[in-house]
Amino acid sequence: MDEKSRRLGSALQAAREGRRPRVRQPEVAEQMGVSRTTIQNIEAGKFTKVNQTVRDYAAFLGWPDGRAQQIFDGGAPPEAAPDAPAAGADDSLPLPPAVEYELRSGETLDTAVISLGPDEDDGHVIVVLQGRKGATPEEIARIAARYRKARRYLQGLAADTDEVAED
């Protein structure tokens, strides 16, 4: 453990603690699929290089690609509020960390906006179909087949909302 690791770990911890709503270590660990000890070790600076888990944690917190390495190499930690858009990304959306992490960690295969009613103010369901980065054509075909079934189900639920509202 050296000063660079401690510095980056502290910056990651500060970013996590500054999030609104606040995200606790166990929640981060669960959503990232790692142990709480892993998150504790990262925040304590108990690593020797910026590995994939550290990069994933930074992405989970909404940091742009390469930012963790920049801080590790001596760059200044982010000064903006954790929920503020990154520099040059003024059109960012305030997504929950878990959603942002999933969007960054996979490859978008398809999207859909399903209206919940005939009027614009009836609301929408937004679906983003994600697959593993570098998925094989067979894996993508399997995911697409499952999605077609789920999409028909979601569209059916949206069509049923008028009946539910009348009950």
Side-chain angles (χ1 to χ4, degrees):
M1 181 167 72
D2 64 6
E3 183 57 36
K4 294 175 7 173
S5 300
R6 279 193 296 270
R7 199 165 155 274
L8 175 55
S10 293
L12 289 164
Q13 181 178 1
R16 178 184 56 78
E17 291 175 346
R19 280 235 169 249
R20 298 296 176 259
R22 189 169 182 183
V23 182
R24 296 177 318 119
Q25 285 180 339
E27 296 165 330
V28 173
E30 181 180 338
Q31 292 176 23
M32 286 183 58
V34 299
S35 70
R36 181 178 181 189
T37 303
T38 298
I39 300 303
Q40 289 173 327
N41 287 340
I42 290 171
E43 290 184 356
K46 295 180 180 177
F47 55 93
T48 57
K49 65 179 182 171
V50 179
N51 60 26
Q52 188 61 50
T53 305
V54 174
R55 286 191 296 273
D56 288 347
Y57 187 21
F60 177 89
L61 293 171
W63 290 11
D65 288 343
R67 187 66 176 131
Q69 187 66 53
Q70 289 174 341
I71 294 170
F72 185 81
D73 292 339
E79 292 181 21
D83 293 330
D90 296 333
D91 59 348
S92 302
L93 296 175
L95 297 172
V99 172
E100 190 167 336
Y101 172 77
E102 290 298 328
L103 289 172
R104 290 178 186 274
S105 65
E107 184 174 327
T108 300
L109 304 175
D110 196 5
T111 60
V113 177
I114 301 171
S115 179
L116 295 176
D119 297 324
E120 185 67 29
D121 60 351
D122 287 335
H124 299 86
V125 174
I126 300 170
V127 178
V128 179
L129 179 64
Q130 289 285 114
R132 174 178 71 78
K133 286 186 179 178
T136 66
E138 294 81 16
E139 290 171 322
I140 293 172
R142 181 179 46 79
I143 292 167
R146 288 182 175 166
Y147 171 59
R148 283 191 295 275
K149 289 180 184 178
R151 184 173 178 164
R152 284 193 299 268
Y153 177 76
L154 289 171
Q155 289 170 324
L157 286 176
D160 289 343
T161 56
D162 291 335
E163 295 171 19
V164 171
E166 294 170 6
D167 291 342

